[in-house]
Amino acid sequence: MAERFPKDFLWGASSSAFQIEGGWNADGKGMTVADYNSFKHSEKQADSRVASDFYHRWREDIALMKELGIRIYRFSISWARMIPDGDGAVNPKGIAFYDQVINCLLDHGIQPFVTLYHFDLPYALAEKYNGWESRRCVYAFERYARICLERFGDRVQYWQVINEQNLMIRVDERMNIREPNLQKADRMRAQMDHHMFLAHALATRACHELVKGGKIGPAVSSTCTYPLTNRPEDVWAARMNDNMKTVYCLDMHYYGAYPGYYLRYLEERNIVPVMEAGDEAVLKDGRMDYIALNYYRTLCASYLPADKEHPVGMRVCRGNEVDFDQYGYFRDEKNENLTASEYGAQIDPMGLRIVLNDYYSRYHLPLMITENGLGMADTVSEDGKVHDSCRIAYMKRHLEACSLAIEDGVELMGYSMWSFMDLLSSHQGFRKRYGLVYVNRDEKDLKDLRRVKKDSFYWYQNVIRTNGELL
Ligand code: BG6
């Protein structure tokens, strides 16, 4: 049988700093917005203080990565571990930590795949400047990015600038937005988004300047929206749902300019961000080299007309804080054709094939899946093992979709599943687990933090060993 995946396919596993590291204030690390938010729920659930304790167990964890056989490990650097207050003194112990991790990965034959910023803005920047609302945050990020690129760029070739800017910008808690007035909050959001685009472009330019052969891109939260019916209005609503939530962001990283429909929305809401002379040139100079994408689910939308109380462009969240509806454009709907995970994510491997084809035909850039996985309430069975057959079935179907997309002509560099080990989920602490490796702790009881390889670990190990046999 012909091989389904290219010989040099980058099989990997992923994580992010605040979700695994722990050691939240160890060796000089500063608090982050992610720490701050997780501490708000400390009474009830796990927080980032210890998380999976990677900060102290990285040698053991990297040995497990080697055993799994992954070719790349996708992780993020904590800005506040490198520069505790975001724009002040550099923390040598932070540098030393990532130096050791990167060297150990390379010694084990694993390529580091590094994200600069995964939801964890140094909290000091939120206090000093209200974070991304200020241009000072842009320059603080550029400085931080340059330090990482200069320091680690001799060993790290692949970089992602910001994880899921397009999703993070919608979540007030992550952006530290506390403005109750919707229009004012959206104005602040648009300004923050603009600043992150500038930061993205500046970091991209810095990578091209400082890292020989380096490749850099965004890691977007991909969306694929189906129309609820074949009414033309619903088809348009589905397109706009993708455009407003993801595509405008990719266009910014590719063309360096807001697409017309997005400018129209910003004008309708009277929230056009302040742009300075020179911004346009910076944005155009920061073109992404590849697209990293995270894929979990698909969406469904119908047309939502505006009315007297709800002017065109007004956004409201109905269910979770991520899936907003937009008046005059779209409304989120349930897709009755799909089943959902126990945590409500609609499972849809075909959607992944659609997304991969869509992004590739739009930009003709290599694609890399940096997150895909199933959150479940795994437990250790009486036999001491973790039987996660649902996760195996999920990964198998999504990898089949990848191989079909490759046959469709998509240039897919690799697949890095979420997540290497159990980690702090955004809302459900350690109740919802994604790992191939179980971490023996629960919400409040740290137990022994022992690592247990799940059934999916052995299954994926075989997939990697055979370069894609999906048994
Ligand atoms: C992605 C994030 O959006 O989804 C991860 O990049 C996150 O950080 C993952 O953990 C799963 O979401 P959740 O809410 O189930 O943890």
Side-chain angles (χ1 to χ4, degrees), residues 123-141:
Y123 194 73
L125 294 178
E127 282 182 314
K128 281 189 275 193
Y129 315 132
N130 196 24
W132 289 105
E133 196 183 9
S134 162
R135 285 183 91 86
R136 298 180 72 168
C137 199
V138 176
Y139 303 122
F141 183 79

Side-chain angles (χ1 to χ4, degrees), residues 217-231:
V220 292
S221 167
S222 61
T223 57
C224 166
T225 310
Y226 304 118
L228 184 66
T229 73
N230 59 8
R231 280 196 320 146

Side-chain angles (χ1 to χ4, degrees), residues 429-461:
F430 273 78
R431 288 194 302 286
K432 191 206 258 177
R433 293 168 183 264
Y434 284 90
L436 297 169
V437 175
Y438 184 88
V439 175
N440 191 36
R441 62 160 294 175
D442 59 26
E443 293 310 292
K444 300 303 296 167
D445 184 353
L446 292 177
K447 300 186 181 169
D448 56 7
L449 289 157
R450 179 166 47 94
R451 280 40 177 158
V452 181
K453 289 168 264 178
K454 299 183 193 177
D455 289 355
S456 56
F457 180 99
Y458 297 104
W459 179 83
Y460 192 43
Q461 186 182 48

Side-chain angles (χ1 to χ4, degrees), residues 147-190:
I147 290 168
C148 293
L149 294 162
E150 270 166 5
R151 185 67 211 207
F152 310 124
D154 56 339
R155 286 154 291 157
V156 178
Q157 201 195 355
Y158 283 101
W159 297 85
Q160 297 121 58
V161 187
I162 302 178
N163 179 68
E164 298 188 345
Q165 174 179 334
N166 63 317
L167 180 135
M168 180 169 53
I169 195 69
R170 304 177 215 152
V171 184
D172 288 356
E173 210 180 47
R174 294 213 190 287
M175 300 307 300
N176 205 42
I177 295 177
R178 297 168 194 187
E179 170 58 61
N181 177 291
L182 278 186
Q183 201 260 354
K184 285 187 185 158
D186 281 345
R187 180 191 296 275
M188 198 182 283
R189 206 182 308 285

Side-chain angles (χ1 to χ4, degrees), residues 16 18-19 74 118-119 163-164 167 221 294 296 371 418 423-428 432 434:
S16 91
F18 84 94
Q19 293 176 281
R74 186 259 186 160
H118 191 124
F119 301 162
N163 179 68
E164 298 188 345
L167 180 135
S221 167
N294 301 341
Y296 289 93
E371 291 185 29
W418 186 262
L423 42 71
L424 192 67
S425 107
S426 331
H427 293 104
Q428 285 95 355
K432 191 206 258 177
Y434 284 90

Side-chain angles (χ1 to χ4, degrees), residues 305-438:
D307 56 37
K308 262 207 199 118
E309 285 93 71
H310 305 99
V312 177
M314 181 181 184
R315 293 177 171 185
V316 289
C317 287
R318 277 181 225 285
N320 57 31
E321 56 200 349
V322 173
D323 297 327
F324 63 85
D325 297 342
Q326 188 164 319
Y327 284 89
Y329 292 84
F330 49 79
R331 168 193 182 107
D332 259 308
E333 301 281 359
K334 188 170 174 348
N335 187 337
E336 300 295 344
N337 297 301
L338 297 173
T339 54
S341 77
E342 62 187 291
Y343 287 98
Q346 298 190 329
I347 299 176
D348 183 5
M350 173 58 100
L352 179 55
R353 185 177 179 185
I354 296 172
V355 162
L356 293 171
N357 272 282
D358 185 21
Y359 292 178
Y360 191 66
S361 61
R362 273 174 197 277
Y363 306 104
H364 279 273
L365 287 177
L367 305 180
M368 172 75 201
I369 297 170
T370 36
E371 291 185 29
N372 173 239
L374 183 64
M376 287 163 56
D378 296 307
T379 49
V380 182
S381 303
E382 277 180 8
D383 60 5
K385 297 184 174 165
V386 181
H387 302 299
D388 56 344
S389 52
C390 291
R391 180 169 294 109
I392 294 175
Y394 178 98
M395 287 174 73
K396 183 173 178 211
R397 293 178 65 206
H398 285 79
L399 281 167
E400 271 160 1
C402 292
S403 94
L404 289 169
I406 292 171
E407 280 175 27
D408 295 333
V410 170
E411 198 182 333
L412 183 62
M413 292 154 58
Y415 172 91
S416 186
M417 65 86 60
W418 186 262
S419 52
F420 173 67
M421 66 181 123
D422 290 342
L423 42 71
L424 192 67
S425 107
S426 331
H427 293 104
Q428 285 95 355
F430 273 78
R431 288 194 302 286
K432 191 206 258 177
R433 293 168 183 264
Y434 284 90
L436 297 169
V437 175
Y438 184 88

Side-chain angles (χ1 to χ4, degrees), residues 105-294:
L105 285 167
L106 291 169
D107 288 348
H108 286 74
I110 301 166
Q111 242 194 92
F113 227 79
V114 175
T115 310
L116 287 165
Y117 167 42
H118 191 124
F119 301 162
D120 53 355
L121 186 77
Y123 194 73
L125 294 178
E127 282 182 314
K128 281 189 275 193
Y129 315 132
N130 196 24
W132 289 105
E133 196 183 9
S134 162
R135 285 183 91 86
R136 298 180 72 168
C137 199
V138 176
Y139 303 122
F141 183 79
E142 185 191 11
R143 172 174 174 258
Y144 156 65
R146 282 182 172 271
I147 290 168
C148 293
L149 294 162
E150 270 166 5
R151 185 67 211 207
F152 310 124
D154 56 339
R155 286 154 291 157
V156 178
Q157 201 195 355
Y158 283 101
W159 297 85
Q160 297 121 58
V161 187
I162 302 178
N163 179 68
E164 298 188 345
Q165 174 179 334
N166 63 317
L167 180 135
M168 180 169 53
I169 195 69
R170 304 177 215 152
V171 184
D172 288 356
E173 210 180 47
R174 294 213 190 287
M175 300 307 300
N176 205 42
I177 295 177
R178 297 168 194 187
E179 170 58 61
N181 177 291
L182 278 186
Q183 201 260 354
K184 285 187 185 158
D186 281 345
R187 180 191 296 275
M188 198 182 283
R189 206 182 308 285
Q191 191 65 57
M192 290 176 160
D193 213 17
H194 184 68
H195 286 155
M196 284 201 280
F197 285 128
L198 287 173
H200 199 288
L202 289 168
T204 302
R205 187 162 74 184
C207 179
H208 293 154
E209 187 187 309
L210 298 170
V211 182
K212 199 162 169 272
K215 302 276 179 221
I216 190 160
V220 292
S221 167
S222 61
T223 57
C224 166
T225 310
Y226 304 118
L228 184 66
T229 73
N230 59 8
R231 280 196 320 146
E233 291 80 1
D234 288 347
V235 174
W236 186 78
R239 292 255 167 96
M240 292 314 281
N241 194 51
D242 284 333
N243 283 348
M244 293 287 181
K245 291 179 182 166
T246 316
V247 177
Y248 84 99
C249 210
L250 286 171
D251 276 4
M252 284 296 280
H253 299 314
Y254 190 77
Y255 298 109
Y258 290 95
Y261 62 80
Y262 205 79
L263 273 177
R264 176 194 174 119
Y265 152 71
L266 295 171
E267 279 159 10
E268 278 165 357
R269 290 291 280 158
N270 193 21
I271 56 170
V272 179
V274 177
M275 303 182 200
E276 291 187 3
D279 283 5
E280 209 184 317
V282 168
L283 291 169
K284 288 205 185 300
D285 193 30
R287 180 176 285 188
M288 59 190 174
D289 299 315
Y290 71 103
I291 300 172
L293 61 107
N294 301 341

